Amino acid sequence: MTLSTSALADLREFACLGVSLMLVTRDERLLPEITRAAGARLGEDGLLRLALPLPESRRTVWNLETTPVVALSLVLPTTYRTLQVKGNDAHVVDWPGHELIARKHADNFVEEVVAVGIPREVADSFFSHHRYVCMAFTPLEIYDQTPGPASGLRVAP
């Protein structure tokens, strides 16, 4: 099932904010791994690209080699608006310019978490900025996970 143009446009815009990006993968034994992504963009080609910091995401990359199923949570700290995006074709990609996107994302994220009371020096430590590996997947399902009556509902396809 293809997602609606409006759902993809909303995801494209939301990913550019200072959202927390938590990517979940699993290995061949179905053991989960969670990693904080350092930036995300939904491309015109329909792929959601993520910059994953190294060495923190080594196991995530390993998992992608055996199981391409992923779930990405995007949470805006100042509002708690949360989306969960699922895909089943995740793979490592080349993403020119990802360093700039990751830096901009980290700056926006730090401003978000400082606004909710986390000290700047703590917020700055959430990311490493040495090296990244990039991955992408096609969003197949989007769920509203914002606390409230719509939590858990699928965003209109």
Side-chain angles (χ1 to χ4, degrees):
M1 180 182 300
T2 305
L3 294 170
S4 71
T5 303
S6 63
L8 291 172
D10 182 48
L11 175 60
R12 183 174 285 113
E13 182 180 315
F14 194 56
C16 292
L17 303 177
V19 293
S20 172
L21 298 164
M22 300 303 290
L23 180 70
V24 180
T25 61
R26 63 185 188 205
D27 67 13
E28 65 279 355
R29 295 171 296 153
L30 304 181
L31 293 175
E33 175 70 11
I34 300 172
T35 221
R36 182 180 299 280
R41 291 294 184 274
L42 180 60
E44 294 300 323
D45 60 1
L47 289 176
L48 183 57
R49 288 172 177 77
L50 300 169
L52 304 174
L54 290 172
E56 296 93 328
S57 59
R58 285 184 310 226
R59 186 164 167 218
T60 294
V61 173
W62 175 264
N63 287 349
L64 294 177
E65 292 182 16
T66 58
T67 310
V69 175
V70 295
L72 175 68
S73 291
L74 302 89
V75 182
L76 191 62
T78 53
T79 65
Y80 294 111
R81 180 176 183 219
T82 305
L83 295 177
Q84 183 185 62
V85 183
K86 294 184 178 187
N88 64 11
D89 65 348
H91 55 284
V92 173
V93 296
D94 186 35
W95 185 17
H98 68 273
E99 296 94 347
L100 182 59
I101 290 168
R103 182 73 253 167
K104 174 89 171 138
H105 177 81
D107 291 345
N108 291 342
F109 178 72
V110 166
E111 293 308 314
E112 279 287 316
V113 297
V114 165
V116 297
I118 294 176
R120 185 171 299 278
E121 57 276 5
V122 173
D124 282 334
S125 71
F126 288 171
F127 296 97
S128 66
H129 296 287
H130 305 290
R131 293 186 312 139
Y132 301 96
V133 63
C134 299
M135 55 83 61
F137 70 95
T138 305
L140 296 178
E141 300 171 77
I142 302 175
Y143 294 90
D144 183 344
Q145 298 293 5
T146 306
S151 185
L153 298 180
R154 189 170 178 175
V155 172

